[in-house]
Amino acid sequence: MPPKLRGVTVAADLGLEFDNSFIRDLVGLYEPWRGAPAPAPELLVLNEEVAAELGADPASLRSPAGVEVLAGNVVPPGAEPVAQAYSGHQFGGFSPRLGDGRALLVGEVIDRDGRRRDLHLKGSGRTPFSRGGDGKAAIGPMLREYLVGEALNALGIPTTRALAVVATGEQIIRVGPVPGAVLARVAASHIRVGTFEYVATRGDTDLLRRLADHAIARHHPRAREADNPYLALLDAVVDAQASLVARWMLVGFVHGVMNTDNMTVSGESLDFGPCAFLDDYDPSAVFSSIDHGGRYAYGNQPGIAQWNLARLAEAMLVLVDPDTDKAVSLATEVLGSFVDRFHRYWAEGVRAKLGLAEPRPDDDALVNDLLSLLERNRVDFTSFFRALSSPARGDRWPVGVSRPDPASLETWTARWRRRLAEEGRDPRVIAAAMDRVNPLYIPRNHQVEHALDAAGRGDLRPFEQLLEVLAQPYEERPGLEEYATPAPPAFGPYVTYCGT
Ligand code: AMP
Ligand code: MG
């Protein structure tokens, strides 16, 4: 019998088809659990695109019965909510037992394309993993995760995506009282580097093998065909993360809290709480209030990803080979390949940003000289690259867009133009291709704050407008100039607070 709610039959008509492989395959990695009741759930925002992908009828999700499901008050038929267990290296220090302290895996939905997608709630109340926390989330950070996930997705970057944010109708205590919320999100899975660390720490080789088999089947099925499937799994995760972090770097994204519990084996961006996009190009840029040492600074992200992958490799060693020395040597070689792979993905991406089609030996020098120029002159990363299609087209530099000092820019531009000329492609084709990879609209920090401030006062219009702008980051549209402009100087240095 489907659960009943205020006389309405719930959820059978939400259209979600569940098949919960994680709980079937991985007993020992979760605790069955239910969300804490949200006293007066109110839908703030629903992602109709994601709803449709999941095969859900948006109207039924907006109905009171649908909102009860999104708030975690009602379990839809076929779902079997659990809190997942995982460990994590947080800022370098190991916590053996983190887990979903304020989240639940509701179940796995088979979407309309046959893809398996985790449906997950964040802010749904205390669980056996809550430690000292209240299990809750505030509206602001949940709307922020919604917005940034949509922006990353529209930029073509693999990411978890929000389905909805529901206000719970309850005040929670942060610095002072703030309204609580639940974020419903979807992901290829929530298997993290920290999930492997959790099992390895317990020394349960049988569970570790089941976890690796599950991750292979779900995310990297080609690894199963390899001579050493577990080494091939590590290799596939190294590759997926090298690609992901390169894509972040190419749009100036700073994740903010790259702990191993926030790094997926699927290669999707996850738990980007205190994240932000660069304004001025600065490799040492840090926005998170808790990242005192700059561990997760923009320019450190590739090194941190490799460090996290080394933790994954350590956790998987017993699967890689029964002879530890051999396992270490095989895993070290795969880990070492991160640097080249990252560089390859990055270099390919930067070439596209510069309108170059073919790799050349002096590309690195051309790129690095440009980046030093941008850094020295504190040039806005996003608008500079976008503006570069104007000179590529043969036009003047766009009025008002920041650039390095004219003499240095002229010298660099002359080199770049020679390089473009050698390839002999049509300037209009080059410029159009550049505009397809250099976004005009990113979630600018001052715009995000403005939208969240207004939402906090009950006005969701700026949030919805910003979402709409970010859904098409590459296409210039009249009237949206303010979204393509760096923050006014009065905005000051930007600080983000961890996703609590
Ligand atoms: P995060 O920084 O959100 O990725 O969370 C890191 C760890 O802290 C995870 O195990 C979370 O479940 C847990 N956590 C974060 N906030 C809370 C909270 N308000 N209540 C309980 N656990 C939390
Ligand atoms: Mg997390």
Side-chain angles (χ1 to χ4, degrees):
M1 269 290 283
K4 296 259 185 186
L5 176 81
R6 294 187 200 131
V8 183
T9 301
V10 177
D13 53 359
L14 291 181
L16 300 173
E17 184 196 325
F18 285 95
D19 177 64
N20 306 315
S21 67
F22 186 91
I23 64 167
R24 207 161 49 227
D25 293 351
L26 299 169
V27 173
L29 271 178
Y30 59 83
E31 302 275 354
W33 207 251
R34 292 287 180 273
E42 183 200 342
L43 183 65
L44 297 181
V45 45
L46 176 73
N47 193 330
E48 300 218 345
E49 188 184 319
V50 169
E53 283 176 13
L54 293 179
D57 169 16
S60 66
L61 283 174
R62 287 187 190 282
S63 72
V67 175
E68 295 285 344
V69 168
L70 294 171
N73 280 351
V74 169
V75 179
E80 298 167 273
V82 298
Q84 291 178 298
Y86 51 86
S87 305
H89 275 88
Q90 300 179 301
F91 291 91
F94 186 59
S95 295
R97 187 181 155 93
L98 291 174
D100 287 336
R102 55 161 173 171
L104 292 174
L105 170 63
V106 177
E108 295 159 38
V109 175
I110 307 301
D111 79 4
R112 66 174 179 202
D113 299 321
R115 283 181 301 175
R116 184 177 293 279
R117 318 271 294 268
D118 274 8
L119 176 60
H120 177 101
L121 301 179
K122 187 162 173 176
S124 50
R126 288 180 55 79
T127 76
F129 301 101
S130 294
R131 297 170 291 155
D134 63 359
K136 303 290 170 73
I139 284 182
M142 296 306 102
L143 287 177
R144 197 182 153 73
E145 179 169 333
Y146 189 123
L147 192 74
V148 173
E150 288 310 282
L152 290 173
N153 179 65
L155 289 163
I157 300 176
T159 181
T160 65
R161 286 181 77 183
L163 171 63
V165 176
V166 173
T168 58
E170 173 183 66
Q171 294 286 310
I172 63 171
I173 305 304
R174 290 297 179 259
V175 179
V178 290
V182 175
L183 169 80
R185 74 178 176 200
V186 298
S189 85
H190 283 79
I191 300 169
R192 310 152 191 258
V193 169
T195 315
F196 279 83
E197 291 181 287
Y198 181 86
V199 183
T201 304
R202 272 149 194 79
D204 185 341
T205 307
D206 171 60
L207 182 55
L208 189 63
R209 186 169 290 112
R210 283 189 282 132
L211 173 61
D213 289 341
H214 180 93
I216 289 173
R218 224 164 144 176
H219 302 305
H220 304 290
R222 289 223 305 267
R224 203 190 346 233
E225 318 302 326
D227 291 344
N228 185 336
Y230 302 120
L231 187 65
L233 171 61
L234 180 62
D235 187 83
V237 179
V238 167
D239 196 68
Q241 286 294 337
S243 165
L244 177 66
V245 176
R247 286 161 182 246
W248 290 351
M249 301 295 285
L250 288 163
V251 295
F253 179 69
V254 187
H255 179 289
V257 60
M258 286 179 71
N259 295 331
T260 56
D261 49 307
N262 293 335
M263 187 187 253
T264 58
V265 302
S266 67
E268 283 183 342
S269 315
L270 174 72
D271 280 356
F272 29 85
C275 61
F277 283 70
L278 287 184
D279 30 48
D280 296 349
Y281 177 75
D282 175 8
S284 69
V286 172
F287 298 94
S288 165
S289 65
I290 57 169
D291 191 358
H292 305 296
R295 179 178 172 90
Y296 300 137
Y298 170 76
N300 285 356
Q301 296 184 117
I304 289 292
Q306 194 186 18
W307 189 91
N308 288 350
L309 291 163
R311 306 290 78 78
L312 175 65
E314 281 165 7
M316 288 179 64
L317 277 182
V318 293
L319 299 182
V320 168
D321 200 280
D323 172 346
T324 307
D325 288 344
K326 186 153 179 232
V328 168
S329 117
L330 290 169
T332 304
E333 194 183 330
V334 168
L335 273 177
S337 73
F338 177 89
V339 175
D340 278 350
R341 292 178 200 221
F342 171 79
H343 182 260
R344 200 156 16 89
Y345 288 121
W346 157 260
E348 202 177 300
V350 183
R351 271 202 307 280
K353 286 175 90 66
L354 295 177
L356 301 171
E358 299 294 332
R360 294 281 163 84
D362 52 358
D363 282 353
D364 281 351
L366 185 71
V367 171
N368 292 337
D369 291 350
L370 174 62
L371 293 177
S372 329
L373 259 186
L374 299 185
E375 186 182 355
R376 262 204 319 279
N377 290 266
R378 310 191 66 80
V379 173
D380 185 79
F381 182 76
T382 302
S383 41
F384 177 86
F385 275 100
R386 179 69 183 199
L388 210 50
S389 66
S390 291
R393 209 181 269 111
D395 295 343
R396 297 164 70 86
W397 191 259
V399 179
V401 175
S402 86
R403 54 176 155 169
D405 66 274
S408 315
L409 181 63
E410 192 51 48
T411 313
W412 182 85
T413 309
R415 267 164 82 192
W416 169 59
R417 280 182 191 290
R418 273 199 301 280
R419 180 75 172 72
L420 284 172
E422 277 166 31
E423 293 191 351
R425 294 156 69 226
D426 179 342
R428 281 165 311 185
V429 172
I430 295 173
M434 290 172 72
D435 284 347
R436 285 195 297 274
V437 295
N438 290 313
L440 185 58
Y441 309 114
I442 54 154
R444 295 229 171 236
N445 301 323
H446 64 298
Q447 295 285 2
V448 173
E449 286 311 293
H450 170 64
L452 297 185
D453 273 358
R457 293 191 306 272
D459 177 9
L460 279 161
R461 282 170 307 179
F463 178 84
E464 285 161 0
Q465 164 80 17
L466 185 54
L467 261 184
E468 207 179 299
V469 171
L470 297 173
Q472 287 171 284
Y474 300 106
E475 193 185 316
E476 184 163 11
R477 282 159 286 162
L480 300 184
E481 292 74 15
E482 62 178 310
Y483 293 97
T485 322
F491 185 65
Y494 187 55
V495 179
T496 58
Y497 297 90
C498 209
T500 43

